[in-house]
Amino acid sequence: MLLEIVISLFILIGAAFALIGSIGLARLPDFYMRLHGPTKATTLGVGGLVIASFLYFSHGWEDVSLHEILVTLFLFITAPISASLASKAALHLKLRSLAPAPETIAKQEDAADPAGERQG
Amino acid sequence: MLNLVIPVALAMMTVAMALNLWRVVRGPDLPDRIIGLDTLYVNTIALLVLFGIGESNAVYFEAALLIAMMGFVGTVALCKYLLRGDVIE
């Protein structure tokens, strides 16, 4: 019974993280922000579901199932690689970020505070 | 308890995959579409794992592992094509 509650908790946490990552992918305004949702939240969501499945198929540690570890290992190795490649492709295509360039930020701060007395 | 939780989680994963599909169709630029497809296959793995728990059947893991490998190769190939104009140089 306790095991079932723990498994249900992990399933809900995993599905919630996957859903949040996908909402981030759909809703965030520019590509470099959108990259954050799937690479972190969705991978963590799959991790939660895989832990739930590991607990479910291990039957109280009698026959530990190792397929889950394989899936997790592969996914956790490949997700950062594909995110890095996608961001490289975006930089190569010169996609614009919505964030202002560093020089503009410095200029704005100088305009707001001309004496240069920045308050930390 | 699992009988209650698994349909809820399946519904959440379905909504997540619909959102990914929307990003693939809509996505203003090509990298957006690639990231949409990438998230779609990761969510497919999650859905298969969930379905395996629901059916008490460990066979679905083979499919999940295959999708993980093929999806990664596909994402890398698409990104390489955008980066270099060619997949295998």
Side-chain angles (χ1 to χ4, degrees), chain A residues 25, chain B residues 15-27 36-37 40:
Chain A
L25 179 71
Chain B
V15 172
M17 287 176 79
L19 285 168
N20 296 338
L21 199 61
W22 184 77
R23 178 51 69 196
V24 172
V25 173
R26 170 84 194 281
L37 281 175
L40 198 60

Side-chain angles (χ1 to χ4, degrees), chain A residues 29-96:
Chain A
D30 84 42
F31 175 76
Y32 302 99
M33 293 185 206
R34 257 176 242 143
L35 205 53
H36 286 285
T39 52
K40 298 181 190 75
T42 307
T43 313
L44 194 62
V46 176
L49 282 173
V50 162
I51 289 172
S53 147
F54 177 71
L55 292 174
Y56 184 81
F57 284 109
S58 287
H59 299 301
W61 306 103
E62 277 168 17
D63 44 346
V64 178
S65 71
L66 293 172
H67 296 268
E68 288 89 348
I69 295 171
L70 219 57
V71 173
T72 321
L73 205 68
F74 193 78
L75 205 66
F76 277 46
I77 289 171
T78 56
I81 298 172
S82 52
S84 154
L85 274 172
S87 62
K88 264 188 194 170
L91 285 174
H92 182 73
L93 294 177
K94 295 191 171 57
L95 292 193
R96 299 297 300 175

Side-chain angles (χ1 to χ4, degrees), chain B:
Chain B
M1 186 142 185
L2 276 176
N3 297 340
L4 196 73
V5 164
I6 284 175
V8 173
L10 279 176
M12 284 161 93
M13 294 311 302
T14 311
V15 172
M17 287 176 79
L19 285 168
N20 296 338
L21 199 61
W22 184 77
R23 178 51 69 196
V24 172
V25 173
R26 170 84 194 281
D29 301 294
L30 285 173
D32 286 299
R33 296 201 163 96
I34 295 176
I35 280 295
L37 281 175
D38 190 74
T39 319
L40 198 60
Y41 93 73
V42 172
N43 279 339
T44 311
I45 295 168
L47 198 67
L48 273 175
V49 169
L50 200 56
F51 205 66
I53 299 175
E55 301 274 309
S56 296
N57 194 343
V59 170
Y60 291 97
F61 277 107
E62 324 292 336
L65 207 57
L66 270 179
I67 289 177
M69 284 195 270
M70 293 298 140
F72 174 64
V73 171
T75 306
V76 169
L78 285 169
C79 288
K80 279 294 271 185
Y81 179 71
L82 283 190
L83 270 174
R84 312 284 297 179
D86 210 348
V87 179
I88 300 169
E89 291 161 55

